Amino acid sequence: MEKGRVCVTGAGGFIGSWLVKLLLSKGYVVHGTLREPSDQKYAHLWTLDKAAENLKVFKADLLDYQSILTALEGCDGVFHVASPVPSSSVPNPEKELIEPAVKGTLNVLKGCSEAKVKRAIVLSSIGAIKMNPAWPKGQVKDEACWSDVEYCKKTGNWYFASKTEAELLALEYAEKSGLGVVTICPILVLGPVLQSTLNASSLALIKLLKGVGSVENVEWRIVDVRDLAEALLLVYEKPEAKGRYLCLSHAVLAQELVGKLQSMYPNYNYPKSFVEVELQDRVMSDKLQKIGWTYRPLEETLADSIKSYRQLGYLD
């Protein structure tokens, strides 16, 4: 039995791939958008269970409204996961990051209205919460806290600015249009990789394993990609889910994280020293847990991540 028809933008990425896998396993028919469906880097999607019968891919660009609308037609819901992520320095961040994130989100939401989609889940980021210099010092940052866009730009945090503007727009659009929109703000996303290329957060963990002389003893705030996929589906399926949700499983200092990794994998070249830094403001995801979200142990996330990096040849 078909459970429903949903669209996932950015279906071939790290998060998008796990979400597609989960949705297919739950009986959904999935419309996945890809920039170039014939690209071999998306071949892993066709190896997923039930992909042959229940996955339909669409060539779509977030800035091309008609291509997005075509992918959305016939769907009950949409998971807007796609967003430009900087791989290195960006010469024109307004044009290369902010414009596609904001205009792309608007195109998806307008397409939802036109295609009569009932519910849209928008993937935002902790970057839309954490950059707020006016937030009372020591007060836990939760869903009520918004990053200051101008402060993000002034400090060169263009990705955070793009996610903040796009999420603000999504919730404003929901209020004006009546479209059911829920946003999720994940923290650093780790976990096993389904695609053949590595994403930025996986590279951060590999860097820790390959060793650098000294690292700052900052808090690593982590969520497993599989638990994030479950959170996205949870807020889609729960009618009472409203507004925004921060998605965080574990908070661990770099020195403690390295200690865990060393006990599991003693032979890697770990950092030799840790520079103490001022502790960051605390963040909490109680709101998501109150509607039934649970997450796996950190050790499982680390073990499964490293196993997949080894299988792909990124680690010995």
Side-chain angles (χ1 to χ4, degrees), residues 18-74:
W18 275 105
L19 179 58
V20 169
K21 180 180 170 70
L22 176 64
L23 289 163
L24 290 172
S25 76
K26 300 289 186 183
Y28 284 92
V29 171
V30 180
H31 289 193
T33 77
L34 302 170
R35 279 189 172 182
E36 191 45 73
S38 61
D39 194 319
Q40 269 305 107
K41 70 180 180 183
Y42 301 130
H44 64 282
L45 289 173
W46 298 110
T47 68
L48 301 176
D49 283 349
K50 301 182 184 172
E53 57 270 36
N54 285 344
L55 175 63
K56 188 174 183 185
V57 298
F58 292 79
K59 180 179 168 68
D61 185 316
L62 289 178
L63 300 183
D64 176 357
Y65 177 73
Q66 198 52 50
S67 71
I68 293 294
L69 181 61
T70 302
L72 291 171
E73 281 169 351

Side-chain angles (χ1 to χ4, degrees), residues 5 10 20 35 43 54 62 71 76 96 100 119 122 132 157 160 162 174 190 243 268 272-273 286 295:
R5 190 171 290 260
V20 169
R35 279 189 172 182
N54 285 344
L62 289 178
D76 306 306
E96 294 174 55
R119 196 161 176 82
V122 175
N132 185 335
N157 288 286
F160 292 173
S162 75
L190 296 176
Y268 285 112
K272 304 294 184 286
S273 61
D286 293 11
Y295 51 82

Side-chain angles (χ1 to χ4, degrees), residues 269-288:
N269 183 29
Y270 294 99
K272 304 294 184 286
S273 61
F274 299 87
V275 180
E276 292 306 322
V277 292
E278 188 182 348
L279 282 178
Q280 303 145 286
D281 292 327
R282 287 195 310 128
V283 292
M284 293 180 74
S285 57
D286 293 11
K287 184 182 174 189
L288 193 52

Side-chain angles (χ1 to χ4, degrees), residues 85-94 96-97 158:
V85 178
S87 52
S88 57
S89 61
V90 179
N92 188 343
E94 286 279 2
E96 294 174 55
L97 275 178
W158 291 94

